[in-house]
Amino acid sequence: MRLHLSTWPEVETYLADRQSIILPIGSTEQHSPCGLIGTDAITAETIAGEVGTRTGTLVGPTIPVGMAHHHMAFPGSMTLRPSTLIALIRDYVVSLSSHGFRSVLFINGHGGNIPSVQSAFYEVYETLRVQQGDAAPALRLALCNWFTLPSVGALAKELYGDHEGWHATPSEVAVTWAAYPDHIKTAPLEPLDPVDPRFYDSRDFRARFPDGRMGSDPSLAKPEHGHRFIDAVSTEIVARHGAFLDGA
Amino acid sequence: MRLHLSTWPEVETYLADRQSIILPIGSTEQHSPCGLIGTDAITAETIAGEVGTRTGTLVGPTIPVGMAHHHMAFPGSMTLRPSTLIALIRDYVVSLSSHGFRSVLFINGHGGNIPSVQSAFYEVYETLRVQQGDAAPALRLALCNWFTLPSVGALAKELYGDHEGWHATPSEVAVTWAAYPDHIKTAPLEPLDPVDPRFYDSRDFRARFPDGRMGSDPSLAKPEHGHRFIDAVSTEIVARHGAFLDGA
Amino acid sequence: MRLHLSTWPEVETYLADRQSIILPIGSTEQHSPCGLIGTDAITAETIAGEVGTRTGTLVGPTIPVGMAHHHMAFPGSMTLRPSTLIALIRDYVVSLSSHGFRSVLFINGHGGNIPSVQSAFYEVYETLRVQQGDAAPALRLALCNWFTLPSVGALAKELYGDHEGWHATPSEVAVTWAAYPDHIKTAPLEPLDPVDPRFYDSRDFRARFPDGRMGSDPSLAKPEHGHRFIDAVSTEIVARHGAFLDGA
Amino acid sequence: MRLHLSTWPEVETYLADRQSIILPIGSTEQHSPCGLIGTDAITAETIAGEVGTRTGTLVGPTIPVGMAHHHMAFPGSMTLRPSTLIALIRDYVVSLSSHGFRSVLFINGHGGNIPSVQSAFYEVYETLRVQQGDAAPALRLALCNWFTLPSVGALAKELYGDHEGWHATPSEVAVTWAAYPDHIKTAPLEPLDPVDPRFYDSRDFRARFPDGRMGSDPSLAKPEHGHRFIDAVSTEIVARHGAFLDGA
Amino acid sequence: MRLHLSTWPEVETYLADRQSIILPIGSTEQHSPCGLIGTDAITAETIAGEVGTRTGTLVGPTIPVGMAHHHMAFPGSMTLRPSTLIALIRDYVVSLSSHGFRSVLFINGHGGNIPSVQSAFYEVYETLRVQQGDAAPALRLALCNWFTLPSVGALAKELYGDHEGWHATPSEVAVTWAAYPDHIKTAPLEPLDPVDPRFYDSRDFRARFPDGRMGSDPSLAKPEHGHRFIDAVSTEIVARHGAFLDGA
Amino acid sequence: MRLHLSTWPEVETYLADRQSIILPIGSTEQHSPCGLIGTDAITAETIAGEVGTRTGTLVGPTIPVGMAHHHMAFPGSMTLRPSTLIALIRDYVVSLSSHGFRSVLFINGHGGNIPSVQSAFYEVYETLRVQQGDAAPALRLALCNWFTLPSVGALAKELYGDHEGWHATPSEVAVTWAAYPDHIKTAPLEPLDPVDPRFYDSRDFRARFPDGRMGSDPSLAKPEHGHRFIDAVSTEIVARHGAFLDGA
């Protein structure tokens, strides 16, 4: 069930029984010469949709632009400042809370979002504590970064060996190609050298990773891999967060 | 050309020739018992996509949640505070500007967004003026509210007579049904009484408009109407903003 | 009754009977070589005073500096960022609300303020909703832009024909000359060319409108016109907003 | 020379010769049962006007509402949060600086404004330092609290002995009566007890000072005293700040 | 009793009896070639500790970095913007208030902090008033600037005559040397000229006071002076604020 | 070398050779009935001091209060909102950058700070990028959470087996007892049950962990363990970050 494709009476009916919701969060940033700029939003939305279907949980709107400062030296990348992203998440959660939602699971497709999302959770909790004290709603906010789950690592190892890397990975690219098979891109890539995945600001990032990849070979991705990742990761998320989504 | 379905080298190539981009902005809010909660985002995205195709302009990510305080008494509605939406738009525009984009057209599906978008434009302009003086980029930021265009009013009058109303209108619902023909909803509606479209806060809104409609009969919408609206409004937007998007 | 010329017991007495207040809001910005920089504040204050007198409504302090980014390329113009103006209006409204004021009418003299004022209304409403829920006061916030009222347009057409324009209009200048007959300014003006009233940032504004006028001929203004505008517009505002100010 | 009664070419001419401006800042707050709510704005504006006339300095718009939290338990009082007042002053100063103003003298009528004004000065200085480094304009921001000047204390002692007090003082009330002789208020006042002028929040303030006075007897004020205060304090301000206003 | 050296049950026990706490606030800024950069934090912490011991009051963590814009032209100085310092103090006070602390005494070692601390007090009071109305806790927030107390002036006069000055004073340096006798610094100093202690921004400060002193001769300081200052000022603070700390 | 015990000429000399600095960051929060409220600040400061000594790196002031919302149900805990902590870190870094520091290593004693510190790094980077573009300084900001280092885990396993837990761990308590041997606390503790270290807000935290421990037995700590942890972790930090601190 997708919030944007529902009516308010349908949401009212849903809330009578369940108080959980899934929010996909992605990013709009370069993913190498052959990965889509919307990769992180597409993967988060796709996986969130599958988890929502399997668990009967409502899925809210995808946050398409996240915290991607470090990619800003590549054309087309967009970023929110962390402070803006924190304010946005706060408003999302507060809006949902006022209707009675109590459990919110963010399914996240981008590592750069993690500090902002976690900061936002505490900004919300602390603001509610100060404003409402014991009358504050008992919110449960959780973050699931699909790309760090063991099932993803295992499958990526099987399919790509040492060429998964840290950004513009074949696993995430495969998920986007499963979702958008008409938008498979190819581009000649330089041979992979071993990389140190640490970096500082956006200039430093581009100096270290000139075409945007971080030790990955996205050309290994295939759409059929994407379906396998979607299935595996959804299974793992349901196992980990199913009780949370059921409100138990 | 959609930003999220492009790669960074494709954007680089685009920017060598054109410095314009379209950003759809919608809302996540009740649209009566038979309109979708995502109506305003769906309409903005659909029309922006059509305008982008006709003019060869890049279309960026849709802003799915806008300023919808007045709908918050209906389950499922979400809102940003104006201050958050202003910060978000600022970050979007600043991100795009740093890649060389100079003309940004927001195609908007929700009246409640207008003050925040306009405020954001001036927040950006004034911030750049103070920080960079004459070195500031010559940005051109424009807002197009598709639902107020004369072509929409004319077609709505033809199709719906006096039943267009001000919210959950058959015209916007028709556009969503054209876009999502598998999600047509029906619900029994009370007879329409004449309404005064003014209101104050969210409680006042619900007291005046108990099922969320404002003088509209969304049940008159048909998917084929939606296609006619999309065509008519895209034609008008190209006529009005085509030179802007061409950078002339 | 003016707030700044009252004592607190007088306000207490007023509040026992009425919970409405008028707040004039203007701007400090160029108005061509012969219009006063304080034009928008002077007109808003003058008209608000007249409406207050006719309806027995308390009139609060005039906001003298508004959102005037686009005039900043002319010496003497001052601007608040939209975010600052929103914070200011929030504080004004919250202050008044805590004494029991429930209906606040902003009489506005400057188009550039409109998005900020409207954004501020929703910032207040949404903040109160989140903080206080159903315990929030039932505020009614309204905006009246005197220069867009039909009575103004009609009288301007009669007096100035096609030379009213969009900024530094003879109608607003006439009101200031009625209020400050000792400060009538004259300056040689270039002949009027037809103008397109659209613009982007402050540099763009000055490039398009080199002396600050937007298609207007302020030299046509006369103090006696000002008195006619004040009378006409006050009559119209009382007709439109009298019930609001009475609390009905 | 008043900014709001000037045109932009007049300001341009002024700036060719002088880069100083005076900004009056007041408050909208209770001043006992017989002092005007606008007292602090009226006194600041009156004295600023006199200093402007004597020194030929431009006088900008009066800030009518300041930081008056501690008076909020009395009807009609209005306050900005310190953070809002700081943002407002920043925007005023930055606006003026962009036209070439370099010396800004705030003439202040309210003790509660002092921390916010001083904080704003440093907020401006530090923001400019970080953003512009050595390219930042060499701003000189100064604050003059007229009511703390020795000439005021001396004259108040002469006229009112031990009944000057700390708030709703006869000296400030006298200045307002000189400015607005048609708005002299009278009210029966309780006998004066010795007071400790310290207080905490607004509830504490009202508990300690039930009618709003702090050890003062405003009924001693006379309009002719007001003229003497205006003359004495203007003379002292010119002596202290004349070189500053001349740019020397 | 120091908060950082206590356990939560010890604080719980303390609160059953007393609701007061002392917070030292200093700065990290140049103090001439022979004064420590941490001078203001060291003095505040030392004096707060002594007052805490004498009165049995809990002493919280020292705020080590304050508002020191004007010292930023000297290496090693650090500053918070006033807006950041206000937010920090708000969070400190709100945290303590939620445990039941009601009287908070800031013992301050740096003049530049005063406006921010005072602004923060009103930001807290006004925020609580708006959010909680009559349910807001009755907080008592007080500021004690140790270096302005009469006992300090008297002893400095006795020890240093006209060489106390306004910054990097021998009195404050003596206190740091009493606290850190192993870190006594010496440096050749230029002869003292009479100074005007006024200044504008950080560039102006350094131009006026090239080695960082403001009319002071810190080389006169001796550790044994420091002990005399600590004793004298603690005695005076206990006399002034003892009842406040006792909650009476 | 400690910043607060240095003079500005000493810092100037240091900067001629090295542009790195260490900033300890802790928290003020409950650490069970026998751990100090200042534990996280004490450990960070102690370890940072040791690393500074071994590498000859300047050590700046300790941030004593961090993000500790989840501990706010225990008396004595203090917290900054994430947004405040981000602003603070931004100001610290910007201050240091303006003197020429380029490499800043935060040595952190508290898990709850991680998202805010990381968010702050990107807030700084993105703000500098937008304001200064290619002229922005090439800052390198790094975070080291000492308690997650392998050497700590190994030693804790050796000393405490399965009783290390996640909060109020014997390892961190041991470091505080090494630093403050006069402040060793004892308290009777309930037997340890296995715990799930996940939690939501502060009420939820206390409900799950009634005395503040998370699966730890701090009574196992001994001061001599603390010295071993300090040595081991400092060795590891030097190995990991020595080149960073040397500027290589």
Side-chain angles (χ1 to χ4, degrees):
Chain A
M1 182 179 174
R2 301 292 178 104
L3 181 60
H4 71 289
L5 297 176
S6 306
T7 65
W8 73 258
E10 291 171 342
V11 176
E12 193 168 56
T13 299
Y14 175 89
L15 278 162
D17 187 47
R18 292 275 289 278
Q19 292 80 42
S20 58
I21 190 168
I22 296 169
L23 292 178
I25 174 167
S27 184
T28 295
E29 64 183 46
Q30 68 85 14
H31 273 78
S32 90
C34 58
L36 304 178
I37 285 175
T39 294
D40 296 345
I42 292 166
T43 60
E45 184 167 291
T46 300
I47 293 165
E50 181 65 19
V51 172
T53 299
R54 295 188 184 188
T55 60
T57 310
L58 190 63
V59 179
T62 301
I63 300 174
V65 177
M67 205 310 294
H69 160 81
H70 42 306
H71 297 292
M72 288 304 295
F74 294 87
S77 297
M78 298 175 68
T79 189
L80 299 180
R81 289 168 291 177
S83 54
T84 303
L85 184 50
I86 291 169
L88 180 149
I89 293 173
R90 173 212 168 279
D91 287 4
Y92 275 38
V93 169
V94 165
S95 292
L96 294 167
S97 172
S98 64
H99 299 307
F101 290 99
R102 288 295 171 265
S103 299
V104 185
L105 177 65
F106 285 76
I107 293 185
N108 176 34
H110 172 51
N113 291 335
I114 297 173
S116 297
V117 174
Q118 292 175 324
S119 293
F121 288 178
Y122 285 100
E123 193 84 13
V124 169
Y125 287 144
E126 179 63 8
T127 300
L128 291 174
R129 190 188 70 80
V130 170
Q131 285 181 358
Q132 305 187 24
D134 289 338
L139 285 179
R140 305 193 311 159
L141 308 175
L143 172 63
C144 172
N145 307 299
W146 74 265
F147 50 95
T148 66
L149 293 178
S151 60
V152 174
L155 185 54
K157 191 74 184 173
E158 172 193 334
L159 295 172
Y160 313 124
D162 293 338
H163 295 95
E164 168 75 353
W166 291 270
H167 183 68
T169 61
S171 62
E172 62 183 346
V173 168
V175 173
T176 65
W177 290 354
Y180 288 88
D182 294 341
H183 287 82
I184 294 176
K185 314 270 174 162
T186 57
L189 299 172
E190 296 291 314
L192 265 188
D193 288 321
V195 301
D196 174 347
R198 290 177 301 179
F199 55 86
Y200 300 103
D201 70 5
S202 58
R203 283 176 304 184
D204 183 62
F205 185 98
R206 180 131 197 195
R208 292 171 187 259
F209 313 110
D211 72 356
R213 293 178 295 158
M214 297 175 72
S216 68
D217 185 353
S219 69
L220 301 176
K222 295 185 193 309
E224 55 267 32
H225 297 169
H227 291 291
R228 291 181 63 188
F229 279 107
I230 294 166
D231 179 61
V233 80
S234 299
T235 300
E236 185 171 356
I237 293 174
V238 172
R240 287 173 176 263
H241 297 281
F244 177 89
L245 295 174
D246 275 344
Chain B
M1 182 179 175
R2 302 291 179 104
L3 181 60
H4 71 289
L5 298 176
S6 305
T7 64
W8 73 258
E10 290 171 343
V11 176
E12 192 167 58
T13 300
Y14 175 89
L15 278 162
D17 187 48
R18 292 275 288 278
Q19 292 79 45
S20 58
I21 189 168
I22 297 169
L23 292 179
I25 174 168
S27 185
T28 295
E29 64 183 45
Q30 69 85 16
H31 273 79
S32 90
C34 58
L36 304 178
I37 285 176
T39 294
D40 296 344
I42 293 167
T43 60
E45 185 168 291
T46 300
I47 293 165
E50 181 65 20
V51 173
T53 298
R54 295 188 184 187
T55 59
T57 310
L58 190 63
V59 179
T62 300
I63 300 173
V65 177
M67 206 309 294
H69 159 79
H70 42 306
H71 297 293
M72 288 304 295
F74 294 88
S77 297
M78 298 175 68
T79 189
L80 299 181
R81 289 168 290 178
S83 54
T84 302
L85 183 50
I86 291 169
L88 180 149
I89 293 173
R90 174 211 168 278
D91 287 4
Y92 275 40
V93 169
V94 165
S95 291
L96 294 168
S97 171
S98 65
H99 299 307
F101 290 99
R102 288 295 171 265
S103 299
V104 185
L105 177 66
F106 285 77
I107 293 185
N108 176 35
H110 173 50
N113 290 335
I114 297 172
S116 297
V117 174
Q118 291 175 325
S119 293
F121 288 178
Y122 284 101
E123 193 84 12
V124 169
Y125 287 144
E126 179 63 8
T127 300
L128 290 175
R129 189 188 71 81
V130 170
Q131 286 181 357
Q132 305 186 24
D134 289 338
L139 285 179
R140 307 195 307 160
L141 307 175
L143 172 62
C144 172
N145 307 299
W146 74 264
F147 51 94
T148 65
L149 292 178
S151 59
V152 174
L155 184 53
K157 190 73 182 175
E158 172 193 334
L159 294 172
Y160 313 125
D162 293 338
H163 295 96
E164 168 75 353
W166 291 270
H167 183 67
T169 61
S171 61
E172 61 182 347
V173 169
V175 173
T176 67
W177 289 354
Y180 288 88
D182 294 340
H183 288 82
I184 294 176
K185 314 268 175 164
T186 57
L189 298 172
E190 296 291 317
L192 264 188
D193 289 321
V195 301
D196 174 345
R198 290 178 300 177
F199 56 86
Y200 300 102
D201 69 4
S202 58
R203 282 177 305 185
D204 184 62
F205 185 98
R206 179 129 197 196
R208 292 171 187 260
F209 313 111
D211 73 355
R213 291 178 296 157
M214 298 176 72
S216 67
D217 185 352
S219 69
L220 300 176
K222 294 186 194 310
E224 55 267 33
H225 297 170
H227 291 291
R228 290 181 63 188
F229 279 108
I230 294 166
D231 179 61
V233 79
S234 298
T235 299
E236 185 170 356
I237 292 174
V238 172
R240 286 172 177 264
H241 297 281
F244 177 89
L245 294 174
D246 274 345
Chain C
M1 183 178 175
R2 302 291 180 105
L3 181 61
H4 72 289
L5 297 176
S6 305
T7 65
W8 72 258
E10 290 171 344
V11 175
E12 193 168 57
T13 300
Y14 175 88
L15 278 164
D17 188 47
R18 293 275 288 277
Q19 292 79 44
S20 59
I21 189 166
I22 297 169
L23 292 179
I25 174 168
S27 185
T28 295
E29 66 182 44
Q30 70 84 15
H31 274 79
S32 89
C34 59
L36 303 178
I37 285 174
T39 293
D40 296 344
I42 293 167
T43 60
E45 184 167 292
T46 301
I47 293 164
E50 182 66 18
V51 173
T53 299
R54 294 188 184 189
T55 59
T57 311
L58 189 64
V59 179
T62 301
I63 299 173
V65 176
M67 205 309 295
H69 160 79
H70 42 306
H71 297 292
M72 288 303 295
F74 294 88
S77 297
M78 297 174 69
T79 189
L80 299 181
R81 289 168 292 177
S83 55
T84 303
L85 184 51
I86 291 169
L88 180 149
I89 292 172
R90 174 210 167 279
D91 287 4
Y92 274 39
V93 169
V94 164
S95 291
L96 293 167
S97 171
S98 64
H99 300 306
F101 289 99
R102 289 293 172 266
S103 300
V104 185
L105 178 65
F106 286 78
I107 293 184
N108 176 35
H110 173 51
N113 291 336
I114 297 173
S116 296
V117 174
Q118 291 174 325
S119 294
F121 288 179
Y122 285 100
E123 192 84 12
V124 170
Y125 288 144
E126 178 64 7
T127 301
L128 290 174
R129 188 187 71 80
V130 171
Q131 286 180 355
Q132 305 186 25
D134 289 337
L139 285 179
R140 304 194 311 159
L141 308 175
L143 172 63
C144 173
N145 306 300
W146 74 263
F147 50 95
T148 65
L149 292 177
S151 60
V152 174
L155 185 53
K157 190 75 184 173
E158 172 193 335
L159 294 172
Y160 312 124
D162 294 338
H163 296 95
E164 168 73 352
W166 291 269
H167 183 69
T169 62
S171 61
E172 62 182 345
V173 169
V175 173
T176 66
W177 289 354
Y180 288 89
D182 294 341
H183 287 82
I184 294 175
K185 313 272 175 161
T186 56
L189 297 172
E190 296 292 316
L192 263 189
D193 289 320
V195 300
D196 173 348
R198 291 177 300 177
F199 55 86
Y200 300 103
D201 71 3
S202 58
R203 283 176 303 183
D204 184 62
F205 185 99
R206 180 130 198 195
R208 292 171 188 260
F209 313 110
D211 73 355
R213 293 178 295 158
M214 297 174 72
S216 69
D217 185 352
S219 69
L220 300 176
K222 294 187 195 306
E224 55 269 32
H225 297 170
H227 291 291
R228 291 181 62 189
F229 278 107
I230 295 166
D231 179 60
V233 79
S234 298
T235 300
E236 185 170 357
I237 293 174
V238 173
R240 288 172 175 265
H241 297 281
F244 177 90
L245 295 174
D246 274 346
Chain D
M1 182 180 175
R2 301 291 179 107
L3 180 61
H4 71 290
L5 298 176
S6 305
T7 64
W8 73 258
E10 290 172 343
V11 175
E12 192 169 59
T13 300
Y14 175 88
L15 278 163
D17 188 46
R18 293 275 289 276
Q19 292 79 43
S20 58
I21 189 167
I22 297 170
L23 291 179
I25 174 168
S27 186
T28 294
E29 65 182 45
Q30 69 85 15
H31 274 79
S32 90
C34 60
L36 303 178
I37 285 175
T39 293
D40 296 344
I42 293 167
T43 61
E45 184 167 292
T46 300
I47 293 164
E50 181 66 19
V51 173
T53 299
R54 294 188 185 189
T55 60
T57 309
L58 189 63
V59 179
T62 301
I63 299 173
V65 176
M67 206 308 295
H69 159 80
H70 42 306
H71 297 293
M72 287 304 296
F74 294 88
S77 297
M78 297 175 69
T79 189
L80 299 181
R81 288 168 292 177
S83 54
T84 303
L85 184 50
I86 291 169
L88 181 148
I89 293 172
R90 173 211 168 279
D91 286 3
Y92 274 39
V93 169
V94 165
S95 291
L96 294 166
S97 171
S98 65
H99 299 307
F101 289 100
R102 289 294 172 267
S103 299
V104 185
L105 179 65
F106 286 77
I107 294 186
N108 175 34
H110 172 51
N113 291 335
I114 298 173
S116 297
V117 174
Q118 291 174 325
S119 293
F121 288 179
Y122 285 101
E123 192 84 11
V124 169
Y125 287 145
E126 178 65 7
T127 300
L128 290 175
R129 188 188 71 80
V130 170
Q131 286 181 356
Q132 305 186 25
D134 289 338
L139 286 179
R140 306 193 310 158
L141 307 175
L143 172 63
C144 173
N145 306 300
W146 75 264
F147 51 94
T148 66
L149 292 178
S151 60
V152 173
L155 185 53
K157 190 76 185 172
E158 173 193 332
L159 294 172
Y160 313 124
D162 294 337
H163 296 96
E164 169 73 352
W166 290 269
H167 183 69
T169 62
S171 61
E172 61 182 347
V173 168
V175 173
T176 66
W177 290 354
Y180 287 88
D182 294 341
H183 287 82
I184 296 177
K185 314 271 174 162
T186 56
L189 298 172
E190 296 291 314
L192 264 188
D193 290 320
V195 301
D196 174 347
R198 289 178 301 179
F199 56 86
Y200 301 103
D201 70 4
S202 58
R203 283 177 303 183
D204 184 63
F205 186 98
R206 179 129 198 196
R208 291 170 187 261
F209 313 110
D211 72 356
R213 294 177 296 157
M214 298 175 70
S216 67
D217 185 353
S219 68
L220 300 176
K222 294 186 195 306
E224 54 268 33
H225 297 169
H227 291 291
R228 290 181 63 189
F229 278 108
I230 294 166
D231 178 61
V233 79
S234 299
T235 300
E236 186 170 355
I237 292 174
V238 172
R240 288 173 175 263
H241 297 281
F244 177 90
L245 295 174
D246 275 344
Chain E
M1 183 179 174
R2 301 292 179 105
L3 181 60
H4 71 289
L5 298 175
S6 305
T7 64
W8 73 258
E10 290 172 345
V11 176
E12 193 169 58
T13 300
Y14 175 89
L15 278 163
D17 188 46
R18 293 273 290 276
Q19 292 81 43
S20 59
I21 189 167
I22 297 170
L23 292 180
I25 174 168
S27 185
T28 294
E29 65 182 47
Q30 69 85 15
H31 274 79
S32 90
C34 59
L36 303 177
I37 285 174
T39 293
D40 297 343
I42 293 166
T43 62
E45 184 167 292
T46 301
I47 293 164
E50 182 65 19
V51 173
T53 299
R54 294 188 184 190
T55 59
T57 310
L58 190 63
V59 179
T62 301
I63 299 173
V65 176
M67 206 309 294
H69 159 80
H70 43 305
H71 297 293
M72 287 303 296
F74 294 89
S77 297
M78 296 174 69
T79 189
L80 299 181
R81 289 168 292 177
S83 54
T84 303
L85 184 49
I86 291 169
L88 181 149
I89 293 172
R90 173 210 167 280
D91 287 4
Y92 274 39
V93 169
V94 165
S95 292
L96 294 166
S97 171
S98 64
H99 300 307
F101 289 99
R102 289 294 173 265
S103 300
V104 185
L105 178 66
F106 286 77
I107 294 186
N108 175 35
H110 173 51
N113 291 337
I114 297 173
S116 297
V117 174
Q118 292 174 325
S119 293
F121 288 179
Y122 285 100
E123 192 84 12
V124 169
Y125 287 144
E126 178 64 7
T127 300
L128 290 175
R129 189 188 70 80
V130 170
Q131 286 180 357
Q132 305 187 24
D134 289 338
L139 285 180
R140 307 194 308 159
L141 308 175
L143 172 62
C144 172
N145 306 300
W146 75 263
F147 50 93
T148 66
L149 292 178
S151 60
V152 173
L155 184 53
K157 190 75 185 173
E158 172 193 333
L159 294 171
Y160 313 124
D162 294 338
H163 296 95
E164 169 73 353
W166 291 269
H167 183 70
T169 62
S171 62
E172 61 182 346
V173 168
V175 172
T176 66
W177 290 354
Y180 288 88
D182 294 342
H183 287 82
I184 296 176
K185 314 272 175 160
T186 57
L189 298 172
E190 297 291 315
L192 263 189
D193 289 319
V195 301
D196 174 347
R198 291 177 301 179
F199 55 87
Y200 301 102
D201 71 3
S202 57
R203 283 177 303 183
D204 184 63
F205 186 98
R206 180 133 197 192
R208 292 169 187 262
F209 313 109
D211 73 355
R213 294 177 296 158
M214 298 175 71
S216 68
D217 185 353
S219 69
L220 300 175
K222 293 185 196 308
E224 54 268 33
H225 297 169
H227 291 291
R228 292 182 61 190
F229 279 108
I230 294 166
D231 178 61
V233 79
S234 299
T235 301
E236 185 171 356
I237 293 174
V238 172
R240 288 173 175 263
H241 297 281
F244 177 90
L245 295 174
D246 275 344
Chain F
M1 183 179 175
R2 301 291 180 105
L3 181 60
H4 72 288
L5 298 176
S6 305
T7 65
W8 72 258
E10 291 171 344
V11 176
E12 192 168 60
T13 300
Y14 175 89
L15 278 163
D17 187 45
R18 293 274 289 277
Q19 292 79 45
S20 59
I21 190 167
I22 297 169
L23 292 179
I25 174 167
S27 185
T28 295
E29 65 183 43
Q30 70 85 15
H31 273 79
S32 89
C34 59
L36 303 178
I37 285 175
T39 293
D40 296 344
I42 293 167
T43 61
E45 184 167 293
T46 301
I47 293 165
E50 182 65 19
V51 173
T53 299
R54 294 188 184 188
T55 59
T57 310
L58 190 63
V59 179
T62 301
I63 300 173
V65 176
M67 205 310 293
H69 159 79
H70 42 306
H71 297 293
M72 288 303 296
F74 294 87
S77 297
M78 297 175 68
T79 188
L80 300 180
R81 288 168 292 177
S83 55
T84 303
L85 183 50
I86 291 169
L88 181 149
I89 292 172
R90 175 212 167 276
D91 287 3
Y92 274 40
V93 168
V94 165
S95 291
L96 294 166
S97 171
S98 64
H99 299 308
F101 289 99
R102 289 293 172 266
S103 300
V104 185
L105 178 65
F106 285 78
I107 292 185
N108 176 34
H110 172 51
N113 290 336
I114 297 172
S116 297
V117 174
Q118 291 174 325
S119 293
F121 288 178
Y122 284 100
E123 192 85 12
V124 170
Y125 288 144
E126 178 63 8
T127 301
L128 290 175
R129 187 187 72 80
V130 171
Q131 286 180 355
Q132 304 185 24
D134 288 339
L139 285 179
R140 304 194 311 159
L141 307 175
L143 172 63
C144 173
N145 306 299
W146 74 264
F147 50 95
T148 65
L149 292 177
S151 60
V152 174
L155 185 52
K157 190 74 182 175
E158 172 193 336
L159 295 172
Y160 312 124
D162 294 338
H163 296 95
E164 169 73 353
W166 292 268
H167 183 68
T169 61
S171 62
E172 63 182 345
V173 169
V175 173
T176 66
W177 290 354
Y180 288 89
D182 294 340
H183 287 83
I184 295 175
K185 314 270 175 162
T186 57
L189 298 173
E190 296 291 316
L192 263 188
D193 289 320
V195 300
D196 173 348
R198 291 178 301 179
F199 55 86
Y200 300 103
D201 70 3
S202 58
R203 284 176 304 183
D204 183 63
F205 185 98
R206 181 131 197 195
R208 292 169 187 260
F209 313 110
D211 73 355
R213 293 178 296 158
M214 297 175 72
S216 68
D217 185 354
S219 69
L220 301 175
K222 295 186 193 309
E224 53 268 33
H225 297 169
H227 291 292
R228 290 180 63 188
F229 278 107
I230 294 167
D231 179 61
V233 80
S234 299
T235 300
E236 186 171 356
I237 293 174
V238 172
R240 287 173 175 264
H241 297 281
F244 177 90
L245 295 174
D246 274 346

